[in-house]
Amino acid sequence: MRQKQIGPYWVRKMNVKRPFGLAAAFLALAVAPAGAEEGMWTFDKFPSVKVKADLGWAPDQAWLDHVRLSSARIEGGCSSAIVSAEGLVQTNHHCVVGCVQNLSAPGNDLVVTGYLARGRAEERPCPGMALQVLTDITDITAEIAKATAGATGAALTKARNAAESRLQKACMKNREGRSCEVVSLYEGGRYNLYGYKRYEDIRLVFAPELGTAFFGGDPDNFNFPRYCLDVGYVRLYENGKPASTPEHFKLRAAPLAAEEPVFVSGNPGGTSRQLTTAELAFQRDYVLPWRLNMHAELRGRLLAFAALGAEEQRIASDTLFSQENSFKARIGMRLALVDPAVFGVKQAEEADLIKRIGADAKLKAEVGDAFGEIARATSAFSAFNQFYYYAEQAPGYGSELMNFARTLVRGAAERAKPDGQRLPGYTDATIGKTEADLLAATPVEKPLETLLISFWLSKTREYLTADDPFVRKLLGKESPEGLAARLVVGTKLGDRAERARLWKGGAKAIADSRDPLIVFVRNWDEDARAIRKRYEEEVDGPIVLAHQRLAKARFALYGDALSPDATFTLRLSYGRVRGWTEPSGRVVEPFTYFSGLSARATGAPPFKLAPSWEKRITSLEPGTIFDVSTTNDIIGGNSGSPLIDREGRVAGAIFDGNIHSLGGNYIYDGRLNRTVSVASTAILAALSEVYGASDLVAELKQ
Amino acid sequence: MRQKQIGPYWVRKMNVKRPFGLAAAFLALAVAPAGAEEGMWTFDKFPSVKVKADLGWAPDQAWLDHVRLSSARIEGGCSSAIVSAEGLVQTNHHCVVGCVQNLSAPGNDLVVTGYLARGRAEERPCPGMALQVLTDITDITAEIAKATAGATGAALTKARNAAESRLQKACMKNREGRSCEVVSLYEGGRYNLYGYKRYEDIRLVFAPELGTAFFGGDPDNFNFPRYCLDVGYVRLYENGKPASTPEHFKLRAAPLAAEEPVFVSGNPGGTSRQLTTAELAFQRDYVLPWRLNMHAELRGRLLAFAALGAEEQRIASDTLFSQENSFKARIGMRLALVDPAVFGVKQAEEADLIKRIGADAKLKAEVGDAFGEIARATSAFSAFNQFYYYAEQAPGYGSELMNFARTLVRGAAERAKPDGQRLPGYTDATIGKTEADLLAATPVEKPLETLLISFWLSKTREYLTADDPFVRKLLGKESPEGLAARLVVGTKLGDRAERARLWKGGAKAIADSRDPLIVFVRNWDEDARAIRKRYEEEVDGPIVLAHQRLAKARFALYGDALSPDATFTLRLSYGRVRGWTEPSGRVVEPFTYFSGLSARATGAPPFKLAPSWEKRITSLEPGTIFDVSTTNDIIGGNSGSPLIDREGRVAGAIFDGNIHSLGGNYIYDGRLNRTVSVASTAILAALSEVYGASDLVAELKQ
């Protein structure tokens, strides 16, 4: 099991979405194509007046409190809904598949067969899984401002960190099961303290077969119409017993109606809606097309490798899924940016902001030439972004062995430095996790490792050219294929004990090592560090500072009228049940039905029904709504969020967006951006008719 | 041997460059970044005044005549130079490799080992190869105008075809060894009659090893610095004897100097410099990125397949080369179009043209809304261009079996129609070649066929989605992999006799056939025909007509001040020996030297020296110029063209352009666009020192 690879796929998607390390405010204007339903709103600043105007209905405070307290964040990157008084939680199959895989054993692959606990005794613990319910939000903007008044530069950072730490500790003091975090919204325009009730004894109740949850596989991923039962159930336990959860959602058994208002309560992971048009153009014209070609070629290599046999298929499947998912995600992102209507909105937003800043002398002075600084840093980056990527961001392109070697080489050097001077991942606060990852029992599949390292070397040479000094240093007189094979065959880093020995041995052990992979990484790590430093100084530093000034200006000008960029904290988005019309003119209806599943099933993967469904499909009511498309503004991290109706009932579990929703990283396009959920009607029918899960259905209907 | 795949690679490149079937005039303005050296000039309208101003020197008529009569077009897609009085011709290795491959036998692969004829008796015939020397150019614009006066629509086409045919026949009458063709320049703005002396007994004299000619392989393809001896020699024979060629080039033994003026005489295949900004944006934002992703994934699949063993390597090599070459070509084309400086020039050109047309009432009336018509047709196409591609343009993605099946199914239907109503390739004038291709002894490699058909099916499903009716018709209940395997295993179309039987059997044989591939193609051929018809009516028809009006307006406004788009006829381009500066700031010098080859050779393919070079490399003069970069404006089809100095001597053989030269399809960018040649200094040194070809050297030095 490759622990770092079995997380929910929307989480992985989140990782690919941030070109630079930016998180800032978001500017929305009432310009087409951004729709009325734009916004991932915090629960303490929900724009009820606007929503009332848009939907003809808006939730009151009691509704908001109830929904917030019935929603739960899954640590690591998902969302969920508490759906019974006894701690039953509904989320996506792809948010619990890691646990399902952990519970599997040779000859008993629960990912393939699915799992249903018959009674509490069969509910099986998911180690490492934890959920949090947001209990309270406190505005601490004033405290932070007070604590940092007059400070600048490093002193400012230090003062802010100290204040945050103090407030956080006070929030948690003497309260078991509580966790607190400081949330910075609008790039520091507002600071909130979020208090959570935390559950860490989580047990698996139900997961369907992968073939049912991910029916249609990659061809249907991010597409709609869709026929996935991407749902799973776990239960919160406290003191060895099911947790008491008086605040919980009811499931709605009645079918949804087109145009009906719906809400999504969940934790969108991150958006980049504040990027300037210079940054967007760079993404659109250079970064995305290049990375897409990388994904496409590696996908081709992996598909051919996986076709060699069952074992190769097994070895390659996670990496292949990740490449295909990232490929489609970036396809959607690029398509949004090349749409003149979308880019036009971004240009209009920027022009409006510049105009408003210009009209305010104080703001104008504070913002200075932020747009120019960002454009120049982006332009500077274009000269070395591929070098930065191949040398520092992606050596080995996911190879475990390469990651081990880099952690060992860097760890030895970093640990010798004072805490404040170390690279991220090697500070006192973070080195524990780095060490744990290094020494975990991560399986190493040598053929896949060779494939990935060889791919990385070959693309590094292709994009930097064979004349590049770094490429020459990497390859010497070897070919990418030959070098990758030599490194993987020769290294002993697949052995945990050897990794532990080198980690403990520190700088001397690394200097003395003759392991070919250590020798290889040692040879160019200084080049990688140098380009990282250049990136931080010439690109990331100037851009982050300029964006902070812009974000402050935006907040001063627009305030709460705009929702902040996503921060993987609880948000509420509103919308309607609605399909869309493709630019080609094709009309996509908002619902799919069980009848469509029968029509779509071919018997050939990924359109092959699981045996349980093959047996029961003909006896299911064909008119039952299966999956549903809505206009809610969501993004990766929202996986497992409840789709909620006006009565506060759960009408579905959101599990995907359409291809256009990927552009949501940059902008919400109300014409096309759609959220995809599995409807409660399908969930209830499947549980009772296909899986015979009568106890579960009874609990859901209580 | 895959006959259709062994052509010179610049020819294949030509095939990918025309998004629609357009060929029209070209508009150039003195706006950066288009450089002074822009233009592929016809020999009868060479702009000597401009060239004199730019270079400080310009050729006189005698120079032009001599160069024209010493240049030879290689039918099928290359250029060459006559370099001795006894018919010796210099071109690229990749322009003769098809002949070399044909002359090879099991255990004697001349592509790998190279070939040198010791004496005339060892000069071996290259069947099918033919060369043409342009002897005269006649302006027939007035005759065509007269013959077509007053005619419109189909009558116009008929009258023009008749006039062309009459003039062509008259041109050839009673003159053996002469061929004539009508050349339409400026999209019909000017008509010329080109008379050629044609040679069809061509014999191989010398070809180096593939590893020498294509040293650096794909990583170095379209890159510079470069170290390729991409040169080959053939000899023209007449009446069984070496042809007498008093008009020929001398080779220059002295090294080239930086900034020295140089000329290229050759046959650029085609450019699309007249595309409107609407068409360019469509290429930039949609077509090129999508096709790049296709190339990248198939490349990945082929690389993994080729890595399985020597036989798989052999089977896949041509297709892999073609994918890698097309991939890089489109990379360069896309990079040109996303460069704001380049696109800005295209916008400025268009604005200038619109302004000038607007200032002339007659022109304005004639042109009408040509830009709007093109933009609307392009926009209409965006809704179905992928369907058109998968269903009509690329079924099987190069699969021989699929091509056979489509030819058989279509041929049966088309031959039943009157000549004028048949599809291209099935008319009386063209069906002979179609039949010959169908019945040729083309080898069919089943694993590769399965790979290609499976890839096509899988991408068709991916881009059109599993919901598309055409996809459903293609796949039925099968997976792409399963269907491809079933078709390839079951079909008998790999057997020439079976193809001949079905071809001769006509409509009845096709209707009765139970061959799975025939049944498969029969099932959806009507859909493919329908989308072709829609393309012709809604896209190609309106666009071609609008472009003709624009081309006429351009010619009226700019006349001969602009060179016409390339037409695979003889052109002269001028420039200087010069490197360039990458946008990243990296400076690329114009020369490489033998010393650089030693440094670059690693011992691992594609940087492995051939044995002949390994033996001799240390005794070569390290300061000898090897390859050279110049500013000449060339494109695919120019392969093998002589690089000529002021004295009319051959200073090299052009064989490639840098990555930026690919943008030359749309625009000549003088900052970056460079031609790459192998220098005569390297050729002479290699022939005498490495290959011991003393007779050849003596002949070249005469």
Side-chain angles (χ1 to χ4, degrees):
Chain A
M1 239 159 292
R2 299 166 76 84
Q3 188 57 41
K4 68 185 254 295
Q5 297 233 13
I6 55 173
Y9 57 88
W10 272 49
V11 179
R12 286 186 237 162
K13 221 175 300 170
M14 283 165 53
N15 295 334
V16 306
K17 286 200 166 161
R18 299 304 220 43
F20 314 154
L22 301 173
F26 161 50
L27 166 73
L29 294 172
V31 180
E37 295 97 348
E38 186 167 28
M40 302 168 178
W41 303 96
T42 59
F43 273 73
D44 58 332
K45 304 275 183 185
F46 191 73
S48 295
V49 174
K50 179 177 182 323
V51 174
K52 181 85 193 283
D54 289 345
L55 297 185
W57 183 88
D60 60 16
Q61 193 57 45
W63 190 101
L64 290 170
D65 291 344
H66 170 66
V67 164
R68 172 172 53 78
L69 292 167
S70 306
S71 302
R73 178 168 76 169
I74 303 182
E75 289 181 12
C78 273
S79 301
S80 70
I82 303 171
V83 285
S84 88
E86 294 175 86
L88 188 67
V89 169
Q90 172 179 296
T91 184
N92 290 149
H93 173 271
H94 75 261
C95 293
V96 299
V97 70
C99 172
V100 177
Q101 197 164 342
N102 279 323
L103 297 176
S104 297
N108 184 25
D109 190 343
L110 302 180
V111 175
V112 172
T113 62
Y115 183 76
L116 172 64
R118 302 278 174 191
R120 301 282 190 276
E122 286 186 16
E123 294 179 356
R124 299 177 60 184
C126 294
M129 200 169 175
L131 274 75
Q132 296 171 313
V133 174
L134 177 59
T135 53
D136 49 274
I137 299 175
T138 314
D139 193 326
I140 54 166
T141 312
E143 278 97 330
I144 297 284
K146 198 176 151 195
T148 57
T152 56
L156 172 72
T157 307
K158 205 176 161 188
R160 193 179 56 224
N161 288 348
E164 288 187 8
S165 177
R166 178 174 49 78
L167 290 161
Q168 211 169 326
K169 277 180 199 155
C171 171
M172 293 197 284
K173 198 176 176 189
N174 295 331
R175 295 173 69 176
E176 212 184 332
R178 179 170 168 86
S179 69
C180 295
E181 73 179 327
V182 174
V183 179
S184 162
L185 302 166
Y186 301 108
E187 193 93 2
R190 192 201 301 159
Y191 286 90
N192 280 176
L193 191 58
Y194 276 34
Y196 294 94
K197 176 164 175 54
R198 187 168 187 271
Y199 297 92
E200 50 189 28
D201 180 356
I202 314 296
R203 305 192 187 175
L204 183 67
V205 177
F206 170 74
E209 311 86 345
L210 177 65
T212 300
F214 196 44
F215 181 82
D218 176 71
D220 274 4
N221 194 16
F222 295 119
N223 280 340
F224 194 84
R226 195 73 170 276
Y227 304 86
C228 293
L229 193 83
D230 193 350
V231 71
Y233 290 92
V234 292
R235 192 181 301 280
L236 311 176
Y237 275 71
E238 283 188 305
N239 306 315
K241 288 179 184 161
S244 168
T245 47
E247 288 281 6
H248 63 270
F249 289 107
K250 302 259 178 229
L251 232 66
R252 165 168 159 172
L256 282 160
E259 295 299 316
E260 178 178 346
V262 277
F263 301 81
V264 172
S265 166
N267 303 273
T271 47
S272 304
R273 293 185 182 174
Q274 82 299 341
L275 293 185
T276 68
T277 53
E279 290 172 292
L280 291 171
F282 183 57
Q283 292 294 314
R284 178 193 66 193
D285 295 339
Y286 297 97
V287 179
L288 289 170
W290 155 54
R291 302 293 299 280
L292 277 165
N293 287 331
M294 295 271 294
H295 290 308
E297 183 183 331
L298 183 54
R299 177 193 195 183
R301 292 185 184 215
L302 288 165
L303 280 167
F305 175 78
L308 294 179
E311 177 61 2
E312 285 84 356
Q313 169 84 42
R314 184 189 70 76
I315 290 175
S317 64
D318 279 342
T319 310
L320 177 59
F321 170 79
S322 158
Q323 289 302 309
E324 291 187 327
N325 196 66
S326 298
F327 177 76
K328 271 209 187 170
R330 287 198 161 97
I331 286 271
M333 290 159 76
R334 204 193 66 80
L335 284 175
L337 291 181
V338 295
D339 183 338
V342 168
F343 209 80
V345 168
K346 301 305 285 192
Q347 288 172 316
E349 286 175 358
E350 194 164 292
D352 183 77
L353 181 59
I354 289 170
K355 199 178 115 200
R356 286 170 194 249
I357 291 170
D360 180 327
K362 185 161 167 284
L363 269 187
K364 197 179 169 188
E366 280 170 9
V367 169
D369 188 22
F371 283 104
E373 288 162 27
I374 291 169
R376 284 189 295 277
T378 302
S379 174
F381 191 39
S382 71
F384 67 90
N385 72 311
Q386 294 186 323
F387 179 23
Y388 174 64
Y389 180 78
Y390 291 111
E392 173 63 12
Q393 288 194 293
Y397 210 77
S399 150
E400 300 284 2
L401 290 170
M402 186 65 69
N403 290 339
F404 293 153
R406 296 193 81 211
T407 300
L408 287 166
V409 169
R410 290 225 160 152
E414 292 300 307
R415 282 177 294 164
K417 300 176 185 171
D419 188 30
Q421 293 172 25
R422 295 185 210 151
L423 289 175
Y426 301 96
T427 60
D428 286 345
T430 55
I431 202 162
K433 185 171 182 323
T434 301
E435 181 178 325
D437 286 350
L438 175 71
L439 303 181
T442 311
V444 169
E445 308 290 358
K446 291 204 163 191
L448 180 63
E449 294 286 312
T450 311
L451 190 158
L452 291 171
I453 295 175
S454 166
F455 176 72
W456 162 63
L457 288 168
S458 133
K459 294 305 104 179
T460 304
R461 181 176 70 185
E462 177 171 331
Y463 285 96
L464 304 186
T465 79
D467 300 293
D468 184 86
F470 179 71
V471 172
R472 290 176 179 219
K473 192 181 267 195
L474 279 186
L475 287 175
K477 298 278 185 187
E478 292 175 277
S479 68
E481 301 74 28
L483 174 57
R486 179 174 68 77
L487 295 174
V488 172
V489 166
T491 187
K492 293 193 166 54
L493 298 186
D495 174 5
R496 281 166 79 190
E498 177 63 7
R499 297 201 294 275
R501 188 187 71 76
L502 285 166
W503 181 255
K504 279 164 202 147
K508 181 161 173 12
I510 294 301
D512 291 347
S513 173
R514 303 183 70 169
D515 187 287
L517 205 49
I518 295 287
V519 172
F520 175 71
V521 170
R522 241 173 24 204
N523 185 42
W524 49 266
D525 191 51
E526 283 306 319
D527 302 82
R529 285 172 178 271
I531 196 66
R532 181 193 185 99
K533 192 150 174 279
R534 184 172 170 200
Y535 167 72
E536 286 169 354
E537 285 173 4
E538 296 179 22
V539 183
D540 196 47
I543 286 179
V544 165
L545 289 175
H547 266 297
Q548 278 174 357
R549 275 143 53 208
L550 286 177
K552 271 190 149 169
R554 276 196 200 95
F555 195 62
L557 291 166
Y558 305 104
D560 286 337
L562 310 174
S563 81
D565 253 321
T567 47
F568 194 50
T569 52
L570 196 67
R571 304 292 178 89
L572 188 62
S573 101
Y574 69 99
R576 291 181 183 275
V577 174
R578 188 179 289 171
W580 74 96
T581 303
E582 280 289 315
S584 70
R586 185 168 62 95
V587 173
V588 182
E589 299 294 340
F591 298 119
T592 63
Y593 304 91
F594 279 159
S595 56
L597 175 65
S598 315
R600 199 177 196 75
T602 63
F607 295 99
K608 184 173 164 52
L609 291 178
S612 62
W613 283 75
E614 272 197 330
K615 216 180 299 169
R616 303 290 306 164
I617 186 86
T618 51
S619 52
L620 290 171
E621 167 55 41
T624 306
I625 292 176
F626 198 153
D627 290 347
V628 55
S629 155
T630 68
T631 64
N632 304 81
D633 185 6
I634 61 157
I635 207 147
N638 265 117
S639 279
S641 299
L643 183 74
I644 308 165
D645 69 6
R646 273 166 295 194
E647 284 71 43
R649 295 173 303 185
V650 169
I654 81 110
F655 67 95
D656 205 358
N658 67 356
I659 190 78
H660 308 292
S661 75
L662 280 326
N665 186 46
Y666 306 117
I667 193 172
Y668 173 81
D669 183 346
R671 302 168 307 169
L672 298 168
N673 186 327
R674 294 295 179 269
T675 288
V676 175
S677 305
V678 50
S680 295
T681 44
I683 297 171
L684 288 169
L687 286 175
S688 60
E689 303 293 321
V690 178
Y691 298 103
S694 48
D695 290 354
L696 190 53
V697 170
E699 187 175 356
L700 288 168
K701 286 190 166 171
Q702 262 172 12
Chain B
M1 236 159 299
R2 299 167 76 83
Q3 188 57 43
K4 69 188 249 300
Q5 297 234 12
I6 55 172
Y9 57 88
W10 272 50
V11 179
R12 287 185 235 163
K13 224 175 298 171
M14 284 165 53
N15 295 333
V16 305
K17 286 200 163 158
R18 300 307 222 38
F20 313 154
L22 302 174
F26 161 49
L27 165 72
L29 294 173
V31 181
E37 295 96 348
E38 185 166 27
M40 301 168 179
W41 303 96
T42 59
F43 273 73
D44 58 332
K45 304 275 182 186
F46 191 73
S48 295
V49 175
K50 180 177 181 323
V51 173
K52 181 85 192 286
D54 289 346
L55 298 184
W57 183 88
D60 59 17
Q61 193 58 46
W63 190 102
L64 290 170
D65 290 345
H66 170 66
V67 165
R68 172 172 53 78
L69 293 167
S70 306
S71 302
R73 179 168 75 168
I74 303 182
E75 289 182 11
C78 273
S79 301
S80 70
I82 303 171
V83 285
S84 88
E86 295 175 87
L88 188 66
V89 169
Q90 173 180 293
T91 184
N92 290 150
H93 173 271
H94 74 261
C95 294
V96 300
V97 69
C99 172
V100 178
Q101 196 163 341
N102 279 324
L103 298 176
S104 298
N108 184 27
D109 191 343
L110 302 180
V111 175
V112 172
T113 62
Y115 183 76
L116 172 64
R118 302 278 173 191
R120 300 281 190 277
E122 285 185 18
E123 294 179 356
R124 301 176 58 184
C126 294
M129 199 168 175
L131 274 75
Q132 297 170 313
V133 174
L134 177 60
T135 53
D136 49 273
I137 300 176
T138 314
D139 194 326
I140 54 165
T141 312
E143 278 96 330
I144 298 284
K146 196 175 154 197
T148 57
T152 56
L156 172 71
T157 307
K158 204 175 162 190
R160 192 179 55 225
N161 289 349
E164 288 186 10
S165 176
R166 178 174 49 78
L167 291 162
Q168 211 167 325
K169 276 181 201 155
C171 171
M172 293 196 283
K173 198 176 177 190
N174 296 331
R175 295 173 68 178
E176 211 184 332
R178 180 169 167 88
S179 69
C180 295
E181 73 179 328
V182 174
V183 179
S184 162
L185 301 167
Y186 302 108
E187 194 93 3
R190 191 201 304 158
Y191 287 90
N192 281 176
L193 189 60
Y194 277 32
Y196 295 94
K197 173 160 178 58
R198 188 167 186 270
Y199 297 90
E200 50 188 29
D201 180 356
I202 315 295
R203 305 194 188 173
L204 184 67
V205 177
F206 170 74
E209 312 86 344
L210 177 65
T212 299
F214 197 44
F215 181 82
D218 176 72
D220 275 5
N221 193 17
F222 296 118
N223 280 341
F224 194 83
R226 195 72 171 276
Y227 305 86
C228 293
L229 193 83
D230 194 351
V231 72
Y233 290 92
V234 292
R235 192 182 302 280
L236 311 176
Y237 275 72
E238 283 187 305
N239 307 315
K241 289 182 185 159
S244 168
T245 46
E247 288 280 6
H248 63 270
F249 290 108
K250 302 259 177 227
L251 232 64
R252 163 167 159 171
L256 283 159
E259 295 299 316
E260 178 178 344
V262 278
F263 302 81
V264 172
S265 167
N267 303 274
T271 46
S272 304
R273 293 185 182 173
Q274 82 298 341
L275 293 184
T276 68
T277 54
E279 291 172 293
L280 291 172
F282 183 57
Q283 291 296 313
R284 178 193 66 194
D285 295 338
Y286 297 98
V287 179
L288 289 171
W290 155 55
R291 300 294 297 280
L292 277 164
N293 287 332
M294 296 271 293
H295 291 308
E297 183 182 330
L298 182 54
R299 176 193 195 182
R301 292 184 183 215
L302 288 165
L303 280 167
F305 175 76
L308 294 178
E311 176 62 3
E312 285 86 355
Q313 169 84 43
R314 185 190 69 77
I315 291 174
S317 64
D318 279 343
T319 310
L320 177 58
F321 170 79
S322 158
Q323 289 302 310
E324 290 188 326
N325 195 65
S326 299
F327 177 75
K328 271 209 188 172
R330 287 197 160 98
I331 285 271
M333 291 159 74
R334 203 193 67 80
L335 283 176
L337 291 181
V338 296
D339 183 338
V342 168
F343 209 81
V345 168
K346 301 305 283 191
Q347 287 171 318
E349 287 175 358
E350 193 163 295
D352 183 78
L353 181 61
I354 290 170
K355 201 179 111 197
R356 287 171 193 249
I357 291 171
D360 181 326
K362 182 162 169 283
L363 269 187
K364 197 178 167 188
E366 280 171 9
V367 169
D369 187 22
F371 284 103
E373 289 163 25
I374 291 169
R376 284 190 294 277
T378 302
S379 173
F381 192 37
S382 71
F384 68 89
N385 72 311
Q386 294 186 323
F387 179 25
Y388 174 64
Y389 180 78
Y390 291 112
E392 173 63 10
Q393 288 194 292
Y397 210 77
S399 150
E400 300 284 1
L401 291 170
M402 186 65 70
N403 290 339
F404 293 153
R406 295 193 81 211
T407 300
L408 288 165
V409 169
R410 289 223 161 152
E414 292 301 307
R415 282 178 294 165
K417 300 176 184 170
D419 188 32
Q421 292 172 27
R422 295 184 210 153
L423 289 175
Y426 301 96
T427 59
D428 286 344
T430 56
I431 202 161
K433 184 171 183 323
T434 301
E435 181 178 325
D437 286 349
L438 174 71
L439 304 182
T442 310
V444 170
E445 307 291 358
K446 291 204 164 190
L448 181 63
E449 293 286 313
T450 311
L451 190 158
L452 291 171
I453 295 175
S454 166
F455 176 71
W456 162 63
L457 289 169
S458 136
K459 294 304 102 178
T460 304
R461 182 176 69 185
E462 178 172 330
Y463 286 96
L464 304 186
T465 80
D467 299 294
D468 184 87
F470 178 70
V471 172
R472 290 177 179 219
K473 193 182 267 194
L474 279 187
L475 287 175
K477 299 278 184 188
E478 292 175 277
S479 68
E481 301 75 27
L483 174 57
R486 179 174 69 78
L487 295 175
V488 172
V489 167
T491 186
K492 292 194 168 54
L493 299 186
D495 175 5
R496 281 167 78 191
E498 176 64 7
R499 298 201 293 276
R501 187 186 71 77
L502 286 166
W503 181 255
K504 280 163 203 147
K508 180 161 177 6
I510 294 300
D512 291 347
S513 173
R514 302 183 72 168
D515 187 286
L517 206 48
I518 295 287
V519 172
F520 175 71
V521 169
R522 238 171 27 202
N523 186 40
W524 49 267
D525 191 51
E526 282 307 318
D527 302 81
R529 285 172 178 272
I531 195 67
R532 180 192 185 100
K533 192 151 177 279
R534 185 173 168 198
Y535 168 73
E536 286 169 353
E537 285 174 2
E538 296 180 21
V539 183
D540 196 48
I543 286 179
V544 165
L545 288 175
H547 266 296
Q548 277 173 356
R549 276 144 52 208
L550 286 177
K552 270 190 148 169
R554 276 196 201 95
F555 194 62
L557 291 167
Y558 306 103
D560 285 336
L562 310 174
S563 82
D565 253 319
T567 47
F568 195 50
T569 52
L570 195 67
R571 304 291 178 90
L572 188 63
S573 102
Y574 69 99
R576 290 181 184 275
V577 174
R578 188 179 289 171
W580 74 96
T581 303
E582 280 289 315
S584 69
R586 185 167 63 94
V587 173
V588 183
E589 299 295 339
F591 297 120
T592 63
Y593 305 91
F594 279 160
S595 55
L597 175 66
S598 315
R600 199 178 196 76
T602 63
F607 296 99
K608 186 173 164 49
L609 291 178
S612 62
W613 283 76
E614 272 196 329
K615 217 179 301 171
R616 302 291 305 164
I617 184 89
T618 52
S619 53
L620 291 170
E621 167 55 42
T624 306
I625 292 175
F626 199 154
D627 290 348
V628 54
S629 155
T630 67
T631 64
N632 303 81
D633 185 6
I634 62 156
I635 206 144
N638 266 117
S639 280
S641 299
L643 183 74
I644 308 164
D645 68 6
R646 272 166 296 191
E647 282 72 44
R649 296 173 303 184
V650 169
I654 82 110
F655 68 94
D656 205 359
N658 66 356
I659 190 78
H660 307 292
S661 75
L662 280 326
N665 186 46
Y666 307 116
I667 192 172
Y668 173 80
D669 182 346
R671 302 169 308 167
L672 298 168
N673 186 327
R674 294 295 178 269
T675 288
V676 175
S677 306
V678 50
S680 295
T681 45
I683 296 171
L684 289 169
L687 287 175
S688 59
E689 303 294 322
V690 178
Y691 298 103
S694 47
D695 291 354
L696 191 51
V697 170
E699 185 174 355
L700 288 168
K701 285 189 166 171
Q702 265 171 10

